[in-house]
Amino acid sequence: MKKSHVLLVFTFLLLVPYICSLLIIGIGYNALVLHSAEIYRTIIGALVGSIIMFAVKATIQRPVDLLAMQTNDGLLKQLLRFFSIRRRYFLLFANIVLDFILCFAATYLVRAVLTLDQIVGSSIGFVLLIMFVSTCLGAYVEYDNLSIDPQQH
């Protein structure tokens, strides 16, 4: 598979939904938690968010493994390995810590950028729409390689 094709699938099937998941965690936290600006509560929210991100990564292992097998580019292979949870325990722990940091940043940025009315209002719907369209595009582009039986049409 060509590098540009793998990059396209990576962007629409993994990267955009990952960013949307971070935004959903940030929006959900700020919409549900009273006094969400307290550092202790933000740390707890980021910890829960990182566990959720770990669970999300568990569901996308097969597409990640299939894409990693089809690329020879070192940088792209490392980007794909970021989404893999089948690794040594140290790297797995580092991945969870990075997810914690990103979830913390997402909760902070959502709180800083959006007003409370926007957070509680329709912002989650727009993020879910972006995630849905992106996942559909990524799956459509790579349906044959990501299906259980690649010979079916």
Side-chain angles (χ1 to χ4, degrees):
M1 184 185 316
K2 294 190 326 189
K3 180 181 173 182
S4 61
H5 193 76
V6 171
L7 195 58
L8 184 70
V9 172
F10 169 76
T11 301
F12 286 120
L13 196 59
L14 300 173
L15 187 62
V16 172
Y18 182 79
I19 292 169
C20 288
S21 296
L22 288 172
L23 288 173
I24 289 170
I25 289 168
I27 291 167
Y29 169 78
N30 287 301
L32 296 174
V33 176
L34 188 62
H35 305 297
S36 61
E38 291 179 5
I39 189 74
Y40 174 72
R41 292 179 187 209
T42 304
I43 288 172
I44 297 299
L47 180 64
V48 171
S50 64
I51 293 169
I52 291 169
M53 294 306 290
F54 183 78
V56 167
K57 288 179 182 178
T59 64
I60 61 169
Q61 279 306 287
R62 187 175 193 295
V64 168
D65 292 342
L66 289 172
L67 283 174
M69 286 188 308
Q70 296 180 9
T71 184
N72 295 324
D73 184 72
L75 178 63
L76 189 55
K77 200 172 271 268
Q78 289 304 316
L79 284 173
L80 287 166
R81 288 189 60 166
F82 169 75
F83 289 94
S84 178
I85 61 169
R86 295 180 186 162
R87 301 168 72 176
R88 294 183 306 220
Y89 289 118
F90 173 75
L91 295 175
L92 189 63
F93 180 74
N95 196 315
I96 292 171
V97 169
L98 181 61
D99 282 339
F100 171 80
I101 292 168
L102 291 174
C103 287
F104 186 89
T107 59
Y108 179 78
L109 288 174
V110 164
R111 185 171 49 244
V113 172
L114 299 177
T115 66
L116 186 58
D117 289 337
Q118 291 171 325
I119 291 171
V120 175
S122 60
S123 59
I124 196 114
F126 289 119
V127 173
L128 285 172
L129 178 65
I130 292 168
M131 180 186 276
F132 178 74
V133 169
S134 175
T135 305
C136 287
L137 285 172
Y140 175 75
V141 169
E142 198 52 23
Y143 176 77
D144 288 336
N145 289 329
L146 299 179
S147 65
I148 294 172
D149 182 13
Q151 303 303 320
Q152 70 183 9
H153 293 287

